Short mmCIF file of all heavy atoms in Angstrom, two decimals:
data_model
loop_
_atom_site.label_atom_id
_atom_site.label_comp_id
_atom_site.label_asym_id
_atom_site.label_seq_id
_atom_site.Cartn_x
_atom_site.Cartn_y
_atom_site.Cartn_z
N MET A 1 -61.10 102.60 74.65
CA MET A 1 -59.81 102.26 74.08
C MET A 1 -60.04 101.84 72.55
O MET A 1 -61.07 101.04 72.27
CB MET A 1 -59.25 101.11 74.77
CG MET A 1 -58.00 100.51 74.10
SD MET A 1 -56.85 99.54 75.22
CE MET A 1 -57.78 98.19 75.73
N GLN A 2 -59.27 102.22 71.63
CA GLN A 2 -59.36 102.01 70.25
C GLN A 2 -58.56 100.59 69.87
O GLN A 2 -57.55 100.33 70.47
CB GLN A 2 -58.70 103.09 69.49
CG GLN A 2 -58.72 102.81 67.98
CD GLN A 2 -58.06 104.05 67.13
OE1 GLN A 2 -57.97 105.14 67.75
NE2 GLN A 2 -57.78 103.75 65.96
N GLU A 3 -59.42 99.80 69.19
CA GLU A 3 -58.83 98.48 68.79
C GLU A 3 -57.87 98.80 67.63
O GLU A 3 -58.06 99.63 66.72
CB GLU A 3 -59.93 97.60 68.32
CG GLU A 3 -59.42 96.28 67.92
CD GLU A 3 -60.61 95.39 67.48
OE1 GLU A 3 -61.83 95.41 67.95
OE2 GLU A 3 -60.33 94.52 66.72
N THR A 4 -56.72 97.95 67.60
CA THR A 4 -55.81 98.05 66.47
C THR A 4 -56.16 97.09 65.41
O THR A 4 -56.48 95.94 65.83
CB THR A 4 -54.41 97.88 66.95
OG1 THR A 4 -54.04 98.81 67.94
CG2 THR A 4 -53.35 97.88 65.93
N LEU A 5 -56.26 97.52 64.22
CA LEU A 5 -56.59 96.56 63.09
C LEU A 5 -55.22 96.09 62.49
O LEU A 5 -54.32 96.90 62.26
CB LEU A 5 -57.32 97.32 61.96
CG LEU A 5 -58.78 97.60 62.22
CD1 LEU A 5 -59.35 98.48 61.11
CD2 LEU A 5 -59.64 96.42 62.52
N GLY A 6 -55.17 94.81 62.51
CA GLY A 6 -53.90 94.13 61.79
C GLY A 6 -54.14 94.00 60.40
O GLY A 6 -55.18 93.46 59.91
N ILE A 7 -53.36 94.46 59.53
CA ILE A 7 -53.49 94.32 58.12
C ILE A 7 -52.28 93.62 57.42
O ILE A 7 -51.17 93.60 57.98
CB ILE A 7 -53.60 95.80 57.39
CG1 ILE A 7 -52.28 96.58 57.54
CG2 ILE A 7 -54.84 96.52 57.99
CD1 ILE A 7 -52.43 97.89 56.75
N ALA A 8 -52.71 93.06 56.25
CA ALA A 8 -51.71 92.38 55.50
C ALA A 8 -51.57 93.18 54.14
O ALA A 8 -52.61 93.50 53.54
CB ALA A 8 -52.01 90.89 55.24
N LEU A 9 -50.45 93.28 53.71
CA LEU A 9 -50.16 94.00 52.27
C LEU A 9 -50.00 92.79 51.42
O LEU A 9 -48.88 92.04 51.60
CB LEU A 9 -49.01 94.85 52.33
CG LEU A 9 -48.67 95.45 50.86
CD1 LEU A 9 -49.71 96.34 50.42
CD2 LEU A 9 -47.27 96.23 51.02
N ILE A 10 -50.80 92.52 50.36
CA ILE A 10 -50.57 91.43 49.48
C ILE A 10 -50.33 92.02 48.12
O ILE A 10 -51.09 92.73 47.54
CB ILE A 10 -51.89 90.52 49.39
CG1 ILE A 10 -52.16 89.88 50.66
CG2 ILE A 10 -51.64 89.30 48.34
CD1 ILE A 10 -53.45 89.07 50.91
N GLY A 11 -49.02 91.79 47.77
CA GLY A 11 -48.59 92.38 46.44
C GLY A 11 -47.78 93.64 46.89
O GLY A 11 -48.39 94.54 47.35
N CYS A 12 -46.47 93.64 46.64
CA CYS A 12 -45.63 94.76 47.04
C CYS A 12 -45.21 95.72 45.89
O CYS A 12 -44.71 96.77 46.20
CB CYS A 12 -44.41 94.17 47.73
SG CYS A 12 -44.81 93.29 49.22
N GLY A 13 -45.28 95.25 44.64
CA GLY A 13 -44.78 95.92 43.51
C GLY A 13 -45.72 96.89 42.98
O GLY A 13 -46.96 96.94 43.47
N GLY A 14 -45.53 97.39 41.71
CA GLY A 14 -46.47 98.25 40.93
C GLY A 14 -47.08 99.28 41.76
O GLY A 14 -46.50 100.00 42.46
N MET A 15 -48.40 99.36 41.72
CA MET A 15 -49.12 100.39 42.41
C MET A 15 -48.98 100.34 44.01
O MET A 15 -48.89 101.34 44.60
CB MET A 15 -50.62 100.34 42.12
CG MET A 15 -51.01 100.67 40.61
SD MET A 15 -50.48 102.39 40.25
CE MET A 15 -51.61 103.29 41.38
N ALA A 16 -48.73 99.15 44.57
CA ALA A 16 -48.53 99.07 46.03
C ALA A 16 -47.37 99.84 46.38
O ALA A 16 -47.36 100.39 47.60
CB ALA A 16 -48.31 97.59 46.42
N SER A 17 -46.34 99.99 45.67
CA SER A 17 -45.12 100.78 45.92
C SER A 17 -45.57 102.26 46.13
O SER A 17 -44.73 103.01 46.95
CB SER A 17 -44.04 100.60 44.91
OG SER A 17 -44.37 101.19 43.63
N LEU A 18 -46.63 102.74 45.62
CA LEU A 18 -47.02 104.09 45.78
C LEU A 18 -47.92 104.35 46.98
O LEU A 18 -47.93 105.52 47.54
CB LEU A 18 -47.80 104.51 44.50
CG LEU A 18 -47.03 104.40 43.19
CD1 LEU A 18 -47.98 104.83 41.95
CD2 LEU A 18 -45.87 105.37 43.14
N TYR A 19 -48.53 103.37 47.37
CA TYR A 19 -49.49 103.60 48.47
C TYR A 19 -49.34 102.80 49.81
O TYR A 19 -49.88 103.14 50.84
CB TYR A 19 -50.97 103.42 48.17
CG TYR A 19 -51.33 102.05 47.61
CD1 TYR A 19 -51.59 101.04 48.61
CD2 TYR A 19 -51.50 101.73 46.35
CE1 TYR A 19 -51.89 99.77 48.15
CE2 TYR A 19 -51.81 100.44 46.02
CZ TYR A 19 -51.97 99.51 46.88
OH TYR A 19 -52.33 98.16 46.54
N ARG A 20 -48.40 101.85 49.68
CA ARG A 20 -48.09 100.98 50.96
C ARG A 20 -47.74 101.85 52.16
O ARG A 20 -48.05 101.51 53.32
CB ARG A 20 -47.12 99.88 50.69
CG ARG A 20 -45.81 100.44 50.33
CD ARG A 20 -44.87 99.16 50.04
NE ARG A 20 -43.57 99.73 49.59
CZ ARG A 20 -42.97 99.24 48.42
NH1 ARG A 20 -43.41 98.33 47.80
NH2 ARG A 20 -41.74 99.64 48.12
N GLY A 21 -47.09 102.93 52.03
CA GLY A 21 -46.63 103.69 53.27
C GLY A 21 -47.84 104.46 53.80
O GLY A 21 -47.84 104.77 55.04
N ASN A 22 -48.93 104.63 53.06
CA ASN A 22 -50.05 105.43 53.58
C ASN A 22 -50.85 104.65 54.66
O ASN A 22 -51.21 105.22 55.68
CB ASN A 22 -51.09 105.73 52.47
CG ASN A 22 -50.51 106.74 51.55
OD1 ASN A 22 -49.55 107.53 51.73
ND2 ASN A 22 -51.08 106.59 50.34
N TYR A 23 -50.91 103.46 54.54
CA TYR A 23 -51.54 102.51 55.44
C TYR A 23 -50.73 102.61 56.85
O TYR A 23 -51.41 102.62 57.86
CB TYR A 23 -51.73 101.08 54.96
CG TYR A 23 -52.68 100.99 53.87
CD1 TYR A 23 -52.18 100.45 52.57
CD2 TYR A 23 -53.96 101.27 53.89
CE1 TYR A 23 -53.00 100.20 51.57
CE2 TYR A 23 -54.91 101.21 52.90
CZ TYR A 23 -54.26 100.70 51.68
OH TYR A 23 -55.11 100.52 50.55
N ALA A 24 -49.49 102.57 56.79
CA ALA A 24 -48.78 102.66 57.94
C ALA A 24 -48.88 103.81 58.93
O ALA A 24 -48.69 103.84 60.08
CB ALA A 24 -47.24 102.44 57.72
N THR A 25 -49.44 104.92 58.27
CA THR A 25 -49.66 106.05 59.01
C THR A 25 -51.00 106.32 59.58
O THR A 25 -51.26 107.26 60.30
CB THR A 25 -49.40 107.35 58.08
OG1 THR A 25 -50.30 107.35 56.97
CG2 THR A 25 -47.89 107.28 57.55
N LEU A 26 -51.95 105.40 59.27
CA LEU A 26 -53.23 105.50 59.69
C LEU A 26 -53.29 105.18 61.22
O LEU A 26 -52.74 104.14 61.73
CB LEU A 26 -54.24 104.57 58.99
CG LEU A 26 -54.41 104.91 57.45
CD1 LEU A 26 -55.24 103.78 56.88
CD2 LEU A 26 -55.06 106.27 57.37
N PRO A 27 -53.96 105.93 62.07
CA PRO A 27 -54.07 105.54 63.43
C PRO A 27 -54.95 104.26 63.64
O PRO A 27 -55.86 104.02 62.93
CB PRO A 27 -54.87 106.74 64.11
CG PRO A 27 -55.32 107.64 62.96
CD PRO A 27 -54.67 107.17 61.72
N GLY A 28 -54.40 103.48 64.59
CA GLY A 28 -55.17 102.24 64.87
C GLY A 28 -54.94 101.12 63.91
O GLY A 28 -55.68 100.20 63.85
N VAL A 29 -53.96 101.20 62.92
CA VAL A 29 -53.65 100.27 61.95
C VAL A 29 -52.19 99.79 62.17
O VAL A 29 -51.36 100.60 62.33
CB VAL A 29 -53.83 100.75 60.60
CG1 VAL A 29 -53.33 99.82 59.58
CG2 VAL A 29 -55.28 101.19 60.32
N THR A 30 -52.03 98.50 62.12
CA THR A 30 -50.68 97.95 62.26
C THR A 30 -50.42 96.81 61.20
O THR A 30 -51.24 95.97 60.93
CB THR A 30 -50.46 97.21 63.63
OG1 THR A 30 -50.61 98.33 64.56
CG2 THR A 30 -49.07 96.69 63.72
N TYR A 31 -49.35 97.10 60.31
CA TYR A 31 -49.03 95.98 59.43
C TYR A 31 -48.65 94.73 60.20
O TYR A 31 -47.74 94.77 61.14
CB TYR A 31 -47.76 96.39 58.55
CG TYR A 31 -48.17 97.03 57.24
CD1 TYR A 31 -47.60 98.36 56.96
CD2 TYR A 31 -48.95 96.46 56.42
CE1 TYR A 31 -47.91 99.02 55.81
CE2 TYR A 31 -49.26 97.14 55.11
CZ TYR A 31 -48.67 98.43 54.89
OH TYR A 31 -48.97 99.03 53.75
N ARG A 32 -49.06 93.56 59.84
CA ARG A 32 -48.68 92.34 60.49
C ARG A 32 -47.96 91.39 59.48
O ARG A 32 -47.28 90.51 60.00
CB ARG A 32 -49.95 91.65 61.15
CG ARG A 32 -50.63 92.47 62.13
CD ARG A 32 -50.52 92.02 63.53
NE ARG A 32 -50.91 92.92 64.49
CZ ARG A 32 -52.17 93.07 64.94
NH1 ARG A 32 -53.07 92.56 64.39
NH2 ARG A 32 -52.37 93.95 65.94
N LEU A 33 -48.20 91.64 58.20
CA LEU A 33 -47.78 90.68 57.21
C LEU A 33 -47.57 91.33 55.97
O LEU A 33 -48.44 92.22 55.50
CB LEU A 33 -48.70 89.46 56.99
CG LEU A 33 -48.29 88.46 55.96
CD1 LEU A 33 -46.98 87.68 56.42
CD2 LEU A 33 -49.60 87.46 55.83
N VAL A 34 -46.52 91.00 55.19
CA VAL A 34 -46.21 91.55 53.83
C VAL A 34 -46.14 90.24 52.93
O VAL A 34 -45.42 89.32 53.36
CB VAL A 34 -44.98 92.35 53.72
CG1 VAL A 34 -44.59 92.58 52.35
CG2 VAL A 34 -45.09 93.65 54.55
N VAL A 35 -46.84 90.21 51.87
CA VAL A 35 -46.92 89.02 50.94
C VAL A 35 -46.43 89.47 49.50
O VAL A 35 -47.11 90.48 49.10
CB VAL A 35 -48.31 88.41 50.89
CG1 VAL A 35 -48.18 87.17 50.06
CG2 VAL A 35 -48.70 88.03 52.31
N ASP A 36 -45.57 88.81 48.95
CA ASP A 36 -45.26 88.97 47.52
C ASP A 36 -44.78 87.63 47.04
O ASP A 36 -44.09 86.92 47.71
CB ASP A 36 -44.38 90.06 47.27
CG ASP A 36 -44.33 90.55 45.82
OD1 ASP A 36 -43.59 89.96 44.95
OD2 ASP A 36 -45.16 91.51 45.49
N VAL A 37 -44.98 87.33 45.62
CA VAL A 37 -44.48 86.14 45.07
C VAL A 37 -42.89 86.26 45.01
O VAL A 37 -42.21 85.09 45.00
CB VAL A 37 -44.97 85.79 43.63
CG1 VAL A 37 -46.39 85.57 43.76
CG2 VAL A 37 -44.66 87.01 42.64
N ASN A 38 -42.35 87.41 45.09
CA ASN A 38 -40.88 87.65 45.02
C ASN A 38 -40.49 87.76 46.58
O ASN A 38 -40.73 88.74 47.13
CB ASN A 38 -40.51 88.81 44.18
CG ASN A 38 -39.04 89.19 44.32
OD1 ASN A 38 -38.33 88.90 45.23
ND2 ASN A 38 -38.71 89.77 43.25
N ALA A 39 -39.87 86.69 47.18
CA ALA A 39 -39.40 86.68 48.52
C ALA A 39 -38.57 87.90 48.81
O ALA A 39 -38.60 88.40 49.93
CB ALA A 39 -38.80 85.31 48.91
N ASP A 40 -37.60 88.14 48.00
CA ASP A 40 -36.70 89.34 48.21
C ASP A 40 -37.37 90.60 48.47
O ASP A 40 -37.03 91.43 49.23
CB ASP A 40 -35.62 89.36 47.14
CG ASP A 40 -34.70 88.20 47.20
OD1 ASP A 40 -34.54 87.50 48.22
OD2 ASP A 40 -34.10 87.85 46.13
N LEU A 41 -38.41 90.79 47.49
CA LEU A 41 -39.21 92.05 47.66
C LEU A 41 -40.02 92.11 48.76
O LEU A 41 -40.12 93.08 49.53
CB LEU A 41 -40.00 92.22 46.31
CG LEU A 41 -40.96 93.53 46.20
CD1 LEU A 41 -40.12 94.77 46.34
CD2 LEU A 41 -41.69 93.52 44.99
N ALA A 42 -40.64 90.88 49.18
CA ALA A 42 -41.40 91.02 50.37
C ALA A 42 -40.59 91.24 51.62
O ALA A 42 -40.95 92.05 52.50
CB ALA A 42 -42.07 89.53 50.59
N ALA A 43 -39.35 90.59 51.71
CA ALA A 43 -38.52 90.87 52.74
C ALA A 43 -38.08 92.37 52.87
O ALA A 43 -37.95 92.94 53.95
CB ALA A 43 -37.21 89.95 52.74
N GLN A 44 -37.66 92.89 51.61
CA GLN A 44 -37.36 94.34 51.53
C GLN A 44 -38.39 95.27 52.12
O GLN A 44 -38.21 96.16 52.88
CB GLN A 44 -36.86 94.70 50.11
CG GLN A 44 -36.62 96.17 50.01
CD GLN A 44 -36.41 96.56 48.37
OE1 GLN A 44 -36.17 95.65 47.64
NE2 GLN A 44 -36.66 97.69 48.16
N VAL A 45 -39.61 95.06 51.66
CA VAL A 45 -40.81 95.93 51.96
C VAL A 45 -41.13 95.73 53.44
O VAL A 45 -41.44 96.61 54.09
CB VAL A 45 -42.02 95.57 51.13
CG1 VAL A 45 -43.30 96.36 51.59
CG2 VAL A 45 -41.76 95.94 49.63
N ALA A 46 -41.10 94.47 53.96
CA ALA A 46 -41.28 94.23 55.38
C ALA A 46 -40.28 95.03 56.27
O ALA A 46 -40.65 95.66 57.16
CB ALA A 46 -41.15 92.74 55.73
N THR A 47 -38.99 95.11 55.83
CA THR A 47 -38.00 95.87 56.57
C THR A 47 -38.37 97.34 56.44
O THR A 47 -38.35 98.10 57.46
CB THR A 47 -36.61 95.56 55.91
OG1 THR A 47 -36.39 94.23 56.07
CG2 THR A 47 -35.61 96.46 56.64
N GLU A 48 -38.74 97.92 55.22
CA GLU A 48 -38.88 99.29 55.05
C GLU A 48 -40.23 99.71 55.89
O GLU A 48 -40.36 100.80 56.35
CB GLU A 48 -39.33 99.53 53.53
CG GLU A 48 -38.06 99.52 52.68
CD GLU A 48 -38.41 99.47 51.29
OE1 GLU A 48 -39.59 99.83 50.85
OE2 GLU A 48 -37.45 99.36 50.43
N CYS A 49 -41.30 98.78 56.00
CA CYS A 49 -42.40 99.19 56.68
C CYS A 49 -42.39 98.79 58.11
O CYS A 49 -43.46 98.69 58.83
CB CYS A 49 -43.65 98.63 55.92
SG CYS A 49 -43.92 99.25 54.29
N ASN A 50 -41.29 98.14 58.65
CA ASN A 50 -41.27 97.71 59.94
C ASN A 50 -42.28 96.68 60.39
O ASN A 50 -42.97 96.78 61.37
CB ASN A 50 -41.27 98.89 60.80
CG ASN A 50 -40.69 98.46 62.37
OD1 ASN A 50 -39.88 97.67 62.39
ND2 ASN A 50 -41.19 99.23 63.34
N VAL A 51 -42.40 95.63 59.43
CA VAL A 51 -43.24 94.50 59.62
C VAL A 51 -42.42 93.27 60.03
O VAL A 51 -41.50 92.91 59.33
CB VAL A 51 -44.05 94.25 58.31
CG1 VAL A 51 -45.04 93.11 58.50
CG2 VAL A 51 -44.73 95.53 57.92
N GLU A 52 -43.00 92.55 60.99
CA GLU A 52 -42.14 91.45 61.53
C GLU A 52 -42.28 90.18 60.58
O GLU A 52 -41.31 89.49 60.51
CB GLU A 52 -42.67 91.03 62.88
CG GLU A 52 -42.31 92.00 63.93
CD GLU A 52 -42.89 91.50 65.33
OE1 GLU A 52 -43.21 90.35 65.48
OE2 GLU A 52 -42.91 92.45 66.20
N ARG A 53 -43.32 90.09 59.80
CA ARG A 53 -43.47 88.80 59.03
C ARG A 53 -43.68 89.05 57.60
O ARG A 53 -44.25 90.12 57.23
CB ARG A 53 -44.75 87.98 59.50
CG ARG A 53 -44.71 87.55 60.96
CD ARG A 53 -45.80 86.68 61.39
NE ARG A 53 -47.10 86.71 60.70
CZ ARG A 53 -48.24 87.12 61.22
NH1 ARG A 53 -48.27 87.69 62.44
NH2 ARG A 53 -49.37 87.12 60.58
N PHE A 54 -43.07 88.26 56.78
CA PHE A 54 -43.24 88.38 55.33
C PHE A 54 -43.48 86.85 54.80
O PHE A 54 -43.01 85.87 55.44
CB PHE A 54 -42.27 89.10 54.52
CG PHE A 54 -40.91 88.43 54.62
CD1 PHE A 54 -40.48 87.62 53.54
CD2 PHE A 54 -39.93 88.69 55.58
CE1 PHE A 54 -39.33 86.99 53.49
CE2 PHE A 54 -38.77 88.02 55.59
CZ PHE A 54 -38.40 87.18 54.53
N SER A 55 -44.11 86.82 53.61
CA SER A 55 -44.35 85.49 53.08
C SER A 55 -44.49 85.62 51.52
O SER A 55 -44.72 86.78 50.99
CB SER A 55 -45.68 84.95 53.72
OG SER A 55 -45.98 83.73 53.04
N THR A 56 -44.48 84.41 50.89
CA THR A 56 -44.72 84.36 49.49
C THR A 56 -46.16 83.68 49.28
O THR A 56 -46.57 83.49 48.04
CB THR A 56 -43.65 83.67 48.66
OG1 THR A 56 -43.58 82.34 49.24
CG2 THR A 56 -42.34 84.30 48.83
N ASP A 57 -46.74 83.40 50.31
CA ASP A 57 -48.04 82.69 50.13
C ASP A 57 -49.19 83.54 50.81
O ASP A 57 -49.21 83.86 51.97
CB ASP A 57 -47.99 81.40 50.92
CG ASP A 57 -49.23 80.46 50.78
OD1 ASP A 57 -50.19 80.88 50.24
OD2 ASP A 57 -49.08 79.23 51.23
N TRP A 58 -50.11 83.87 49.91
CA TRP A 58 -51.21 84.79 50.33
C TRP A 58 -52.15 84.08 51.49
O TRP A 58 -52.74 84.88 52.23
CB TRP A 58 -52.15 85.16 49.19
CG TRP A 58 -52.82 83.98 48.52
CD1 TRP A 58 -52.44 83.24 47.50
CD2 TRP A 58 -54.16 83.47 48.98
NE1 TRP A 58 -53.38 82.29 47.37
CE2 TRP A 58 -54.43 82.34 48.19
CE3 TRP A 58 -55.02 83.77 49.98
CZ2 TRP A 58 -55.54 81.53 48.29
CZ3 TRP A 58 -56.18 82.95 50.11
CH2 TRP A 58 -56.33 81.91 49.36
N ARG A 59 -52.12 82.87 51.55
CA ARG A 59 -52.91 82.19 52.56
C ARG A 59 -52.50 82.47 54.02
O ARG A 59 -53.19 82.41 54.94
CB ARG A 59 -52.94 80.70 52.30
CG ARG A 59 -53.72 80.26 51.07
CD ARG A 59 -53.58 78.85 50.70
NE ARG A 59 -52.22 78.73 50.09
CZ ARG A 59 -51.94 77.75 49.31
NH1 ARG A 59 -52.78 76.87 48.91
NH2 ARG A 59 -50.70 77.73 48.82
N ASP A 60 -51.21 82.96 54.07
CA ASP A 60 -50.68 83.27 55.43
C ASP A 60 -51.46 84.53 55.97
O ASP A 60 -51.50 84.82 57.19
CB ASP A 60 -49.15 83.59 55.38
CG ASP A 60 -48.48 82.33 55.16
OD1 ASP A 60 -48.84 81.33 55.44
OD2 ASP A 60 -47.26 82.42 54.70
N ALA A 61 -52.11 85.16 55.22
CA ALA A 61 -52.86 86.44 55.47
C ALA A 61 -54.22 86.03 56.14
O ALA A 61 -54.89 86.81 56.67
CB ALA A 61 -53.20 87.31 54.27
N LEU A 62 -54.51 84.78 56.18
CA LEU A 62 -55.67 84.22 56.83
C LEU A 62 -55.40 84.03 58.37
O LEU A 62 -56.31 83.53 59.01
CB LEU A 62 -56.21 82.98 56.18
CG LEU A 62 -56.45 83.03 54.70
CD1 LEU A 62 -56.88 81.73 54.12
CD2 LEU A 62 -57.62 84.00 54.43
N SER A 63 -54.35 84.50 58.85
CA SER A 63 -54.13 84.40 60.21
C SER A 63 -55.12 85.21 61.11
O SER A 63 -55.48 86.20 60.77
CB SER A 63 -52.61 84.94 60.46
OG SER A 63 -52.19 84.92 61.78
N PRO A 64 -55.35 84.70 62.24
CA PRO A 64 -56.29 85.34 63.21
C PRO A 64 -55.89 86.65 63.55
O PRO A 64 -56.88 87.47 64.03
CB PRO A 64 -56.59 84.37 64.33
CG PRO A 64 -55.43 83.33 64.16
CD PRO A 64 -54.89 83.42 62.77
N ASP A 65 -54.69 87.09 63.48
CA ASP A 65 -54.30 88.43 63.97
C ASP A 65 -54.38 89.43 62.80
O ASP A 65 -54.10 90.61 62.93
CB ASP A 65 -52.92 88.48 64.53
CG ASP A 65 -51.73 88.09 63.51
OD1 ASP A 65 -52.04 87.41 62.52
OD2 ASP A 65 -50.71 88.50 63.64
N ILE A 66 -54.95 89.00 61.63
CA ILE A 66 -55.00 89.90 60.55
C ILE A 66 -56.49 90.17 60.28
O ILE A 66 -57.24 89.21 59.93
CB ILE A 66 -54.26 89.33 59.20
CG1 ILE A 66 -52.80 89.28 59.57
CG2 ILE A 66 -54.64 90.24 58.13
CD1 ILE A 66 -51.98 88.56 58.55
N ASP A 67 -56.85 91.32 60.18
CA ASP A 67 -58.25 91.80 60.08
C ASP A 67 -58.55 92.30 58.69
O ASP A 67 -59.73 92.12 58.24
CB ASP A 67 -58.58 92.98 60.97
CG ASP A 67 -58.36 92.60 62.47
OD1 ASP A 67 -59.01 91.69 62.93
OD2 ASP A 67 -57.49 93.33 63.11
N LEU A 68 -57.45 92.78 57.88
CA LEU A 68 -57.83 93.33 56.65
C LEU A 68 -56.69 93.06 55.75
O LEU A 68 -55.52 93.17 56.09
CB LEU A 68 -58.06 94.87 56.79
CG LEU A 68 -58.33 95.79 55.59
CD1 LEU A 68 -59.68 95.43 55.06
CD2 LEU A 68 -58.21 97.14 56.00
#
């Protein structure tokens, strides 16, 4: 059985807007958190990428369910 890696996207604008969708298509990878200093942008990207959690604090990415 393949383990699923939980990932956090930290920073949603700029270059991230070009590649954030690529991670969502990788087998065995699941977005668990989206982080950006702009709460509205973080919420928008979380919705677009079907991610349950978003935050403005990068330290939330230290959660035990996030591997990368």
Side-chain angles (χ1 to χ4, degrees):
M1 176 160 61
Q2 179 177 344
E3 182 180 331
T4 299
L5 291 175
I7 63 172
L9 175 68
I10 300 178
C12 297
M15 290 299 295
S17 64
L18 299 175
Y19 63 76
R20 65 183 173 229
N22 295 337
Y23 293 120
T25 64
L26 295 173
V29 173
T30 301
Y31 270 126
R32 300 249 166 86
L33 177 69
V34 171
V35 180
D36 197 272
V37 294
N38 180 331
D40 292 335
L41 180 58
Q44 175 188 337
V45 171
T47 299
E48 290 172 5
C49 293
N50 198 28
V51 181
E52 292 182 14
R53 299 182 342 241
F54 68 91
S55 176
T56 58
D57 187 347
W58 65 267
R59 291 170 287 207
D60 290 337
L62 300 175
S63 175
D65 67 329
I66 296 175
D67 303 298
L68 181 66

